[in-house]
Amino acid sequence: MKRDSPFSSSVFARFTLRSLAANRVRTAVTVVGIALATGLLMAVLASVTSLQAGLANQSRETDGVWQVKFPATDDAELQSLRDVAGDLLDRLATQRDLGSAAFSASDAERNGTYLSVLGLPVEQGGTARAMGDDAYEVLLAPSVTSGRLPEKDGEIALTSNLRGIELTPGASELPGIDAGVVADGPLELGSQLTLSLGRRVQRYEDGSDDEVGAESGVMYRRVVYGTDADGTADVGQGQISETLEGVSAPRTYTVVGFVEPDWTIPGYIGYVSPDQTGGAALPRTNAYFSTSCSSREELDELVERLRPAGGDRASVLNGGLLTYQGLGGDRLIFDTLAMFAATLAVVIVVAAVSLISNAFTISVSERTRQFGLLSSLGASRRQLRRTVFVEAGVLGAVGIPLGVAIGIAGAAVAFAVTGEGWARMVGTDSAVTLVVSPWSVALTVLLASLTLVVSAMVPAVRASRVSAVDAIRQSADVRPSRRLRRVFARRTRPADDLSPDGSRPRGLAARLGGVPAFLARRTLLVSSSKARVAVLSLAVSVTLLVTAGVVNDMLTGATDATQLGSATSFDLELTVADRQDEPEKGDGADRGGSVSLAAADDLLARIGQLDGVEGAAYYGSLSAAIRLSGGLLGGASTAGGDLPASEVGNVDGQGYASADVFLVDDATWRSLAERGVLGADAADPSQLSALLVGTVYASDGSRYVQSELLPAQTTGEVDLLAIDERAGYEKPLLAWGEDGTVVYYAPEDSSSDLEVPLREAARVVTSVPATVVGPDLGEDFPLSPDQLSSQFPTLVMPARAVRESGVALDPMVQSLYTPWVSVLARLEEGADDAEALRQMEGAAEQIGGIDVLGSTNLAATLRDARAMSFTVQVFLFCFAAILALIAVANVFNTIASGMMLRTREFAVLRSAGMGERSFRKMIFVECADYALKGLVLGGALALIVEWFLWQAMSLSVSGVALVVPWGHLALAFALVVGVLAASVLYALRKTHAMNLVEALRADAL
């Protein structure tokens, strides 16, 4: 039969509020702990949503807001799109594809087969526009580099990589089609460009054909050259397999601007105004639209409904934007962010549960007498449990909103400081700002509330089981351990705990510390549950502190390794190569077979004399067939271990391979000798010698592995090989075969191709002494460790010796790969890097026979890398700081409150004659026991957590060392011991303020 309670709910509510008010310090510490945990949860979730929004904005900035593309639509299909999609159609834009014009065969070698002409995108009206992304275009117009975009009929803007090119007439690569791209001179602003546009039609081997637009690459017949190492066919391209139909009459356009190339579209592009007339016989119109679909399933269903009945409507999805919007098919990035947030949330919740649960456990222990009194007066177990939950609700009502506000404010400050760094990390032009979504706030409140409920559950059950007898004796908190019960069972008389003469207590603790240590040991044995709570609190705090430090080390170490692996001391880089329309004989051939290599020293001198440049160096990038011999062959022939040969290199059992070769300037080579990298006999840059990089850093398909294939200072010889050409075949091509490097000979006619092992198709032209080195040749070296260790074998040689040898350069320029030269400059303090880069490009343009391939502001890249590192550091510091505060609050709440609960015990001991020194010794022994066990357990847990983190890092990166974090352990131990001491001193000061009568009166009340 259920017993009616004489108490109303309001009585217990007032009782709870009075208890919280009477213990203001414990209440304040608990509220702070709840607020910190909630704030950290809020900050983590807000950071994830902000980064997700930043990634989505980056995609909108670079690609537009379109989600789906329908190529080759017409007015009827556009109207059907509006009718079927209805309100789900948020925004719509169209772009006309006017067709393509063929370059001449000679121009196609450099420019590609076609110049495609597109109209500028135009957004259509009459759509919902409900997604709030009006700041971005549906489809971006091209970015102007010079001039302007076309505004009327007869104007055209070309991609900037066409500027300065002089076109030649003649037949195109397409059978029966003449060149349809003709200009009145080199392409510049104001040039007259005449185009004959047609529709591209690809013809398949089965006789079918298909009309395609500018977005499709040129189709070639397949040619099988041989078999790769894994048994798959090595397929190359043969003759072109498409044509132009419906070619229009020539139409002349005025070049009014140059724009950034769209690298998603193969070939060169010209843009005309949206109302441009003319073009191919049947121009295509591409539709780009965004929707308000809330799931990928809804989007896929809409696209399916938009397909014509029984038809096959091609569609293209903007995968990047859909992924960041949570609508991607694989959701890899989205799930990664979610997993990251979930992992941190688990750590935070565990820490919060430890803190809050300890607070409620102490609260229940403190009020054992009160709960027993209420139970004796008729309060039900349910009401007693509700008392604890009401306390949790009151604390949560204050701490959770405060924590949400702290989390949002802290995240806002962090993003204000690091927004530029996050922008560089996600690749957007605008700073990443804080985005707080309603679901993140709701999830934070839900998790914090669940944490409170879970934390209060066990203490609430414990409070409901307190009886009146337990309250009077306060035995609910004094539960002897099994070991102590066994000791009591062996006792025959009260004096068994004393020495035979009765003058001192027995036991090791008593012998070492006397009566205070004996009493401390007995207290720990009697109140074992309280001791376990204190030890667990200390262990959790140590684990949190060490884990925060380990995460910081691993992430910042990975960031620093990325920077160091690609860093040099240079600020700017300019890359040039031989001009493609240069004759094979003449000036370039006279100077060593490569104009850019022959002109490298001249270009280096010009750049070195520019204003603001305090130093410069260069390297040439080539490839060559080689054979390793001597001490270089033993390790290299079995190089790589578990790495695939395509990643490590292609050294066969006899040392034959295709190598990357870097040629450096005289000053750089001499500096290697000055630093001891080279021997004195190889210091002369006019003498042929080589350095062989013996370390490779490559992917084995699942992670990156760094392997030392040859130990440093190993010596041997490298034979440079020339490959014999064969009549009736094109230039030979080096590739990886089943048994090592092979040479493919593609036929010029319809005959079959040849696959010949390198050792049978090559001959030695010269031998070069070589020494093995590591990939890090110093910050003053123009090549970074990443560049030198990306493939094996990689050679570094003096450029002068190679050019002047007469034979060494021939094997390097024989390759199909075009050699290029990169000149790097180091700027004076305060120099304008943008102006210096323009002057470097101008210096290159003054040298005939070379083209500028590109330029890189290395200083800006390094600044971006440092900004990203700073961003990571700020967030890791905030994460570690809040975890440290939670740990401190946990220790203080547990130890200080536990000590204050023993006020009556301390008063009795002092009244019985225990002096201050003995009292302090007893407390010291108890705290030392707590600290020793807590620190050992916490250290063990921290090492386990570090092992799991190391395992996660090792899944993708090799070479991460698993080491004991002694520094973080020492810092965590010192901090925890310091907080432990401060907590004890605070509690003792509070208890010392009471005499015995006051302590007993307070305990009774």
Side-chain angles (χ1 to χ4, degrees):
M1 181 176 179
K2 185 176 179 180
R3 184 183 62 177
D4 293 334
S5 172
F7 301 103
S8 64
S9 299
S10 60
V11 172
F12 288 97
R14 290 195 299 271
F15 171 71
T16 300
L17 294 175
R18 288 181 60 187
S19 176
L20 292 174
N23 298 274
R24 290 186 296 273
V25 174
R26 177 174 54 79
T27 300
V29 172
T30 306
V31 169
V32 169
I34 295 172
L36 288 174
T38 305
L40 191 52
L41 279 173
M42 184 71 254
V44 168
L45 295 179
S47 298
V48 169
T49 56
S50 300
L51 291 179
Q52 183 183 346
L55 290 169
N57 290 338
Q58 184 271 340
S59 182
R60 294 185 181 104
E61 287 179 359
T62 56
D63 298 327
V65 303
W66 67 274
Q67 296 174 324
V68 185
K69 172 187 175 181
F70 279 173
T73 61
D74 53 29
D75 291 341
E77 286 186 313
L78 289 176
Q79 186 57 48
S80 175
L81 169 63
R82 292 176 180 274
D83 295 339
V84 174
D87 291 338
L88 289 176
L89 180 62
D90 194 65
R91 297 175 68 182
L92 170 66
T94 57
Q95 183 178 45
R96 297 175 66 212
D97 185 340
L98 280 73
S100 300
F103 286 106
S104 66
S106 59
D107 290 339
E109 293 182 2
R110 175 181 56 192
N111 305 332
T113 305
Y114 299 108
L115 173 66
S116 300
V117 178
L118 302 174
L120 295 175
V122 178
E123 183 167 2
Q124 307 296 316
T127 56
R129 301 179 71 92
M131 298 302 292
D133 53 12
D134 292 348
Y136 304 95
E137 300 293 335
V138 179
L139 179 66
L140 271 65
S143 178
V144 176
T145 60
S146 61
R148 59 176 175 82
L149 292 176
E151 298 173 351
K152 59 183 180 180
D153 197 2
E155 296 180 343
I156 192 169
L158 303 174
T159 50
S160 58
N161 44 12
L162 279 172
R163 188 168 191 174
I165 290 179
E166 189 167 355
L167 303 173
T168 58
S172 72
E173 292 183 324
L174 307 176
I177 304 293
D178 290 331
V181 186
V182 181
D184 59 353
L187 292 175
E188 297 290 349
L189 293 177
S191 295
Q192 298 297 302
L193 182 66
T194 301
L195 303 176
S196 298
L197 299 172
R199 304 191 315 275
R200 288 175 54 190
V201 178
Q202 295 181 342
R203 304 192 186 281
Y204 301 98
E205 296 179 358
D206 61 1
S208 61
D209 55 37
D210 186 24
E211 181 181 335
V212 297
E215 70 279 357
S216 299
V218 178
M219 185 180 196
Y220 293 85
R221 296 189 184 280
R222 299 196 318 157
V223 175
V224 179
Y225 288 119
T227 305
D228 289 335
D230 59 0
T232 60
D234 184 20
V235 179
Q237 65 183 32
Q239 296 179 344
I240 196 167
S241 182
E242 61 178 72
T243 188
L244 286 177
E245 294 184 354
V247 178
S248 65
R251 175 73 183 274
T252 301
Y253 301 83
T254 300
V255 178
V256 297
F258 290 94
V259 299
E260 290 285 353
D262 184 350
W263 301 113
T264 64
I265 299 178
Y268 292 100
I269 304 294
Y271 294 91
V272 296
S273 64
D275 55 355
Q276 174 69 53
T277 59
L282 293 174
R284 299 155 55 95
T285 299
N286 302 322
Y288 299 80
F289 61 93
S290 63
T291 70
S292 55
C293 295
S294 58
S295 67
R296 179 58 181 264
E297 291 74 17
E298 185 180 14
L299 179 63
D300 289 340
E301 191 273 335
L302 173 61
V303 172
E304 191 63 32
R305 284 194 291 122
L306 292 172
R307 300 185 191 278
D312 185 17
R313 151 60 63 196
S315 61
V316 179
L317 299 180
N318 188 349
L321 179 61
L322 292 176
T323 297
Y324 303 138
Q325 290 177 330
L327 304 177
D330 56 12
R331 296 170 56 91
L332 182 60
I333 299 287
F334 189 78
D335 291 344
T336 299
L337 290 174
M339 184 179 298
F340 178 79
T343 303
L344 294 182
V346 168
V347 174
I348 297 165
V349 168
V350 169
V353 167
S354 173
L355 169 64
I356 302 170
S357 180
N358 286 344
F360 286 134
T361 299
I362 293 169
S363 175
V364 170
S365 298
E366 187 179 46
R367 293 184 289 162
T368 298
R369 185 182 298 275
Q370 297 169 356
F371 285 124
L373 179 61
L374 292 173
S375 177
S376 65
L377 294 176
S380 65
R381 289 191 171 187
R382 181 179 180 182
Q383 288 176 320
L384 295 178
R385 286 196 300 269
R386 187 183 299 167
T387 301
V388 179
F389 286 120
V390 167
E391 181 176 344
V394 172
L395 295 174
V398 177
I400 291 178
L402 180 61
V404 170
I406 291 175
I408 293 176
V413 172
F415 273 98
V417 174
T418 63
E420 294 294 336
W422 283 119
R424 292 180 174 91
M425 293 180 73
V426 303
T428 181
D429 292 333
S430 55
V432 177
T433 58
L434 179 65
V435 176
V436 181
S437 62
W439 71 263
S440 64
V441 176
L443 184 58
T444 299
V445 173
L446 177 62
L447 286 175
S449 300
L450 289 176
T451 300
L452 273 174
V453 172
V454 171
S455 302
M457 192 170 294
V458 173
V461 172
R462 184 179 180 185
S464 67
R465 294 175 179 175
V466 175
S467 66
V469 176
D470 287 336
I472 296 172
R473 299 175 53 197
Q474 287 199 336
S475 62
D477 292 324
V478 181
R479 298 184 182 275
S481 63
R482 293 181 180 180
R483 178 184 173 189
L484 188 61
R485 288 198 294 269
R486 288 195 300 268
V487 172
F488 287 162
R490 292 194 297 267
R491 291 179 57 179
T492 58
R493 58 193 181 90
D496 283 350
D497 283 335
L498 301 177
S499 61
D501 59 2
S503 61
R504 64 182 185 277
R506 295 176 181 270
L508 179 62
R511 287 197 294 271
L512 295 177
V515 174
F518 173 80
L519 292 176
R521 185 62 180 163
R522 280 290 180 261
T523 301
L524 293 172
L525 291 173
V526 171
S527 303
S528 57
S529 61
K530 289 183 178 180
R532 283 195 298 269
V533 169
V535 169
L536 184 59
S537 173
L538 294 173
V540 169
S541 300
V542 170
T543 303
L544 290 176
L545 293 171
V546 176
T547 299
V550 168
V551 169
N552 179 77
D553 286 349
M554 288 187 174
L555 293 183
T556 54
T559 304
D560 292 343
T562 300
Q563 293 183 31
L564 292 175
S566 59
T568 69
S569 64
F570 295 93
D571 300 309
L572 304 175
E573 181 176 9
L574 180 74
T575 302
V576 300
D578 293 2
R579 184 167 295 166
Q580 294 299 303
D581 56 3
E582 284 292 301
E584 294 184 4
K585 303 295 182 183
D587 188 38
D590 293 340
R591 291 189 289 175
S594 170
V595 179
S596 56
L597 289 172
D601 287 319
D602 183 14
L603 180 58
L604 179 65
R606 292 171 183 261
I607 291 177
Q609 296 173 0
L610 296 176
D611 293 337
V613 175
E614 68 174 11
Y618 74 77
Y619 68 89
S621 180
L622 305 93
S623 63
I626 67 169
R627 183 180 66 183
L628 303 178
S629 59
L632 306 179
L633 181 59
S637 61
T638 57
D642 55 352
L643 288 175
S646 60
E647 294 291 348
V648 174
N650 42 26
V651 183
D652 65 14
Q654 299 181 32
Y656 288 90
S658 173
D660 287 342
V661 183
F662 296 108
L663 307 181
V664 297
D665 60 274
D666 293 355
T668 298
W669 188 259
R670 290 193 184 98
S671 70
L672 292 176
E674 293 171 359
R675 290 187 283 112
V677 179
L678 290 171
D681 55 341
D684 187 356
S686 64
Q687 178 183 341
L688 270 180
S689 58
L691 297 176
L692 174 63
V693 180
T695 301
V696 66
Y697 188 72
S699 172
D700 64 356
S702 61
R703 62 175 183 162
Y704 282 91
V705 179
Q706 181 171 313
S707 299
E708 184 184 77
L709 308 183
L710 291 170
Q713 301 307 313
T714 302
T715 59
E717 285 193 341
V718 174
D719 297 332
L720 299 180
L721 309 177
I723 302 173
D724 295 327
E725 296 187 7
R726 302 198 178 195
Y729 292 88
E730 298 177 357
K731 282 190 174 184
L733 174 68
L734 288 175
W736 175 255
E738 293 183 1
D739 300 321
T741 303
V742 296
V743 181
Y744 287 118
Y745 292 94
E748 295 177 349
D749 51 22
S750 59
S751 59
S752 60
D753 60 286
L754 294 179
E755 177 183 330
V756 181
L758 175 60
R759 57 183 176 273
E760 298 179 10
R763 53 187 169 81
V764 177
V765 296
T766 187
S767 296
V768 180
T771 302
V772 176
V773 294
D776 188 359
L777 297 181
E779 287 189 355
D780 292 334
F781 195 74
L783 289 145
S784 69
D786 283 352
Q787 291 173 284
L788 291 174
S789 62
S790 62
Q791 182 176 330
F792 182 85
T794 294
L795 297 175
V796 179
M797 300 178 67
R800 180 179 299 277
V802 171
R803 285 197 305 263
E804 295 178 352
S805 69
V807 293
L809 187 58
D810 292 340
M812 302 180 190
V813 299
Q814 183 184 22
S815 169
L816 290 178
Y817 301 103
T818 302
W820 70 78
V821 173
S822 293
V823 183
L824 296 90
R826 187 183 300 108
L827 301 181
E828 298 174 350
E829 188 70 26
D832 186 343
D833 49 6
E835 177 60 27
L837 202 55
R838 285 193 292 270
Q839 292 183 21
M840 290 174 63
E841 294 174 350
E845 292 172 356
Q846 295 174 9
I847 300 177
I850 63 174
D851 283 331
V852 176
L853 296 185
S855 57
T856 305
N857 191 328
L858 300 175
T861 302
L862 184 59
R863 286 196 297 269
D864 289 348
R866 288 171 177 166
M868 290 186 283
S869 177
F870 172 74
T871 299
V872 173
Q873 290 280 357
V874 168
F875 273 80
L876 287 176
F877 174 80
C878 294
F879 179 70
I882 296 179
L883 282 184
L885 290 175
I886 293 176
V888 168
N890 195 10
V891 173
F892 181 85
N893 210 14
T894 303
I895 301 300
S897 299
M899 287 290 175
M900 293 177 68
L901 285 175
R902 298 168 61 188
T903 301
R904 184 177 65 169
E905 175 190 343
F906 295 159
V908 171
L909 289 174
R910 288 197 299 271
S911 66
M914 177 175 281
E916 189 66 26
R917 181 177 179 182
S918 297
F919 182 79
R920 290 179 179 177
K921 183 183 291 187
M922 180 188 72
I923 298 300
F924 175 79
V925 172
E926 290 184 21
C927 291
D929 186 88
Y930 294 154
L932 181 62
K933 293 178 180 178
L935 296 180
V936 171
L937 178 60
L941 292 175
L943 292 178
I944 293 174
V945 172
E946 185 196 18
W947 184 85
F948 278 106
L949 292 173
W950 174 78
Q951 286 284 342
M953 291 287 290
S954 298
L955 291 176
S956 58
V957 179
S958 174
V960 179
L962 180 62
V963 296
V964 178
W966 294 114
H968 295 303
L969 285 170
L971 183 61
F973 289 175
L975 181 61
V976 169
V977 170
V979 176
L980 174 63
S983 303
V984 171
L985 291 176
Y986 170 80
L988 292 181
R989 188 174 69 240
K990 296 288 288 185
T991 57
H992 275 35
M994 298 183 183
N995 57 33
L996 177 61
V997 176
E998 291 174 342
L1000 294 176
R1001 182 186 299 116
D1003 187 67
L1005 296 177

